[in-house]
Amino acid sequence: NRLGSSLLVFTLLFGSLTVLAQQDRTTASQVQLLYISLLGRAADREGLDYWVKQIDSGTLTLEQLRANTLSSQSEYKNGLGKMSRTELVTALYKNLFEREPVAAGLGYCTTGGGSSVNADQLTLALITGAKGNTKNTQTLSNKTQAASYYTAHYQSQNTQEAAKAVAEVEHKASTLESSIKNTPSTEKVIDALT
């Protein structure tokens, strides 16, 4: 079936879930994680291509892009940018790991030593800190793969569909498979017409 073929091709192109999680991430996957964490969705093709070119050419760093998202992107400002610190930290955990923060982590980020860390740096700290937790690492890998698949295959860019592509994707492979299966794509429209 086409879904099985797509998963096989996707796996061959991007590697196994565990291998991807253990390797240094590509610029594209790092940009996808930025979209996932701060915007709660997969990147659109044009945005992903633009930011990857800017970073790979040395025009912009990933750190500058994270800071730019906070200061310049209305999508962030109208979403996470309007939240209280507790809501922001909770939303970042949900966007990145599909779970609530543990009490100690929430306290540290809201009233403790991490309370003054900007959201862009907090995002980096959460992603970097995930390396010590197999489930968190696998969730980031799965979300990145789901986002990459969506970006490569969507029929037309839709922010709500881009959010659905990464929502509820967690460490279990079945959640990644479900996201890919449910991604509206040109291939699926063609299949339905034939």
Side-chain angles (χ1 to χ4, degrees):
N1 74 25
R2 221 182 235 293
L3 175 60
S5 299
S6 294
L7 286 172
L8 177 61
V9 169
F10 193 74
T11 301
L12 290 173
L13 289 173
F14 295 98
S16 74
L17 303 178
T18 304
V19 170
L20 180 63
Q22 293 174 348
Q23 294 176 345
D24 289 335
R25 291 185 166 86
T26 65
T27 303
S29 65
Q30 291 176 10
V31 172
Q32 284 285 13
L33 279 174
L34 177 101
Y35 272 79
I36 292 164
S37 61
L38 296 175
L39 302 178
R41 66 175 176 91
D44 55 282
R45 280 187 212 113
E46 295 78 18
L48 181 65
D49 290 346
Y50 175 80
W51 294 120
V52 167
K53 286 177 186 171
Q54 293 294 305
I55 292 166
D56 286 349
S57 71
T59 305
L60 191 70
T61 66
L62 192 60
E63 292 75 21
Q64 290 169 322
L65 174 57
R66 275 196 307 272
N68 170 281
T69 300
L70 269 59
S71 65
S72 303
Q73 301 297 320
S74 61
E75 189 175 350
Y76 173 81
K77 287 180 178 181
N78 292 325
L80 270 61
K82 287 185 173 184
M83 294 181 175
S84 70
R85 184 67 174 193
T86 299
E87 292 169 329
L88 170 67
V89 172
T90 302
L92 288 174
Y93 269 84
K94 177 71 173 158
N95 288 352
L96 290 168
F97 308 121
E98 283 304 316
R99 67 175 179 83
E100 299 285 321
V102 294
L106 181 61
Y108 179 81
C109 293
T110 57
T111 59
S115 63
S116 63
V117 175
N118 290 337
D120 63 317
Q121 292 299 312
L122 179 58
T123 298
L124 175 62
L126 291 173
I127 291 168
T128 303
K131 292 179 183 174
N133 180 304
T134 304
K135 284 184 178 180
N136 286 349
T137 302
Q138 193 63 57
T139 299
L140 290 179
S141 177
N142 287 355
K143 281 185 175 279
T144 302
Q145 290 187 62
S148 296
Y149 185 88
Y150 174 84
T151 302
H153 292 89
Y154 66 76
Q155 182 180 353
S156 62
Q157 170 56 21
N158 177 305
T159 303
Q160 292 167 334
E161 291 294 332
K164 282 184 193 176
V166 297
E168 299 181 21
V169 174
E170 55 179 51
H171 67 281
K172 298 174 187 169
S174 61
T175 62
L176 172 59
E177 292 165 5
S178 177
S179 171
I180 290 171
K181 178 182 172 188
N182 293 314
T183 294
S185 71
T186 304
E187 290 174 351
K188 291 175 186 168
V189 170
I190 292 169
D191 283 348
L193 295 174
T194 56

